[in-house]
Amino acid sequence: MLVLKCSMKLQMLEKMLKWSFPESLKVYGAVMNINRGNPFRKEVVVDAWPNFKAVITRLQRENEMDDLDHYTNAHAVFYKELQAYQDLLENTNAVNWGQIFQIQGLQDGICEISRTMALSKQVDVKISSFQMVIYSDPDTLPDVTLQMDPKLTLTYLDISHASLLSKTWSRGGNLRSQKYLANLICCFPSVCVLDDNGYPLSWSLTDQFATMIHGYTLPEHRRKGYSRLVATTLAKKLHSCGFPTQGNVLETNIPSITLLKSMNAQFLPCSFFRVIHTPFHFLAKSHL
């Protein structure tokens, strides 16, 4: 196992990962952020260099603090050989099996290996899958010229909005999710529609893997075009920064799927997987 710290090697890795789109998209987004200031304090682990067969991005070990925070304890994974990925997890300290953490990626083997290793590592595994989308060409994004109420403002989210975002996020509603969302707001691009009191009506933000997440409009303000405006504006913003604009959506979320199709999003053939690993001794904790 190697931890890549050399900036030249990390730049090389970013270019190499482009050869394996779309499966490498999650890792690619994380590496891009590392190479552009590393706002979320991530690092890269590979099985070998330069002929790597598996790569994992993780929180820098010196910054690990909360073993119960699976939001921040998030890993992106890409492998060229499944066995190399399993060996990296099984025989090294690439991940901390003593904490609650998540693994994200676009390859079926990620779920397979987590299930295989769950008992021996004494962890519970919870798997969620989503449709993955990208906006491959900014020129295909619709021209959004919405005549908003002059009292409304199209702008960026503020850290003070984190509490509302956490309450309305399907994975939120707790102090750890609120802290995580506040960090995202500080570190990465976001877009929102504010009323004249500075209260968000619709929003979308970017996560640590350069993925558009938590697109949401308050129920009383839906069907006014705000979601499309916010999502399109953020997608163009990410494109202007050089990032591949990517997102994911549940197959049952028909309104969001309809919105994405109206934005000419490309639905990828591979699914996006999020695997949350919880050590057995944490399962009985009431705060989880």
Side-chain angles (χ1 to χ4, degrees), residues 248-259:
N248 50 73
V249 60
L250 286 169
E251 293 181 358
T252 56
N253 191 343
I254 303 303
S256 291
I257 290 174
T258 301
L259 170 66

Side-chain angles (χ1 to χ4, degrees), residues 93-149:
N93 65 344
V95 302
N96 182 353
W97 292 96
Q99 66 180 194
I100 304 176
F101 67 95
Q102 61 172 293
I103 288 178
Q104 296 190 11
L106 279 76
Q107 295 168 286
D108 293 340
I110 292 170
C111 304
E112 174 188 336
I113 296 304
S114 289
R115 291 192 187 99
T116 299
M117 300 184 64
L119 186 58
S120 64
K121 295 297 184 179
Q122 296 190 337
V123 298
D124 176 75
V125 172
K126 181 179 180 181
I127 298 173
S128 302
S129 64
F130 306 80
Q131 291 190 66
M132 188 74 182
V133 299
I134 60 170
Y135 308 94
S136 55
D137 184 351
D139 292 336
T140 66
L141 288 166
D143 181 23
V144 180
T145 54
L146 177 65
Q147 295 296 319
M148 289 198 308
D149 186 317

Side-chain angles (χ1 to χ4, degrees), residues 217-249:
T217 300
L218 295 177
E220 61 270 29
H221 295 282
R222 292 173 183 170
R223 303 184 186 280
K224 298 178 182 179
Y226 297 158
S227 292
R228 196 164 184 258
L229 172 64
V230 165
T232 301
T233 303
L234 181 56
K236 291 183 177 180
K237 173 64 176 177
L238 290 172
H239 268 298
S240 71
C241 295
F243 287 92
T245 307
Q246 53 180 310
N248 50 73
V249 60

Side-chain angles (χ1 to χ4, degrees), residues 110-285:
I110 292 170
C111 304
E112 174 188 336
I113 296 304
S114 289
R115 291 192 187 99
T116 299
M117 300 184 64
L119 186 58
S120 64
K121 295 297 184 179
Q122 296 190 337
V123 298
D124 176 75
V125 172
K126 181 179 180 181
I127 298 173
S128 302
S129 64
F130 306 80
Q131 291 190 66
M132 188 74 182
V133 299
I134 60 170
Y135 308 94
S136 55
D137 184 351
D139 292 336
T140 66
L141 288 166
D143 181 23
V144 180
T145 54
L146 177 65
Q147 295 296 319
M148 289 198 308
D149 186 317
K151 294 181 180 179
L152 303 182
T153 305
L154 183 67
T155 185
Y156 302 112
L157 288 163
D158 183 83
I159 192 172
S160 64
H161 303 140
S163 176
L164 173 63
L165 267 64
S166 179
K167 292 175 183 176
T168 55
W169 191 25
S170 60
R171 296 174 54 210
N174 58 75
L175 291 177
R176 288 187 176 89
S177 67
Q178 182 174 325
K179 179 181 177 182
Y180 174 69
L181 291 167
N183 287 337
L184 293 185
I185 291 170
C186 290
C187 294
F188 304 115
S190 63
V191 176
C192 68
V193 173
L194 301 181
D195 67 13
D196 55 348
N197 293 314
Y199 193 80
L201 309 181
S202 180
W203 59 82
S204 183
L205 65 160
T206 312
D207 75 0
Q208 55 194 308
F209 306 121
T211 306
M212 294 171 59
I213 68 163
H214 193 20
Y216 189 85
T217 300
L218 295 177
E220 61 270 29
H221 295 282
R222 292 173 183 170
R223 303 184 186 280
K224 298 178 182 179
Y226 297 158
S227 292
R228 196 164 184 258
L229 172 64
V230 165
T232 301
T233 303
L234 181 56
K236 291 183 177 180
K237 173 64 176 177
L238 290 172
H239 268 298
S240 71
C241 295
F243 287 92
T245 307
Q246 53 180 310
N248 50 73
V249 60
L250 286 169
E251 293 181 358
T252 56
N253 191 343
I254 303 303
S256 291
I257 290 174
T258 301
L259 170 66
L260 290 166
K261 288 181 177 179
S262 75
M263 294 173 59
N264 301 314
Q266 177 185 351
F267 285 75
L268 301 181
C270 50
S271 296
F272 159 60
F273 299 101
R274 182 178 65 241
V275 188
I276 297 179
H277 304 71
T278 304
F280 290 159
H281 61 272
F282 285 139
L283 287 175
K285 300 290 185 180

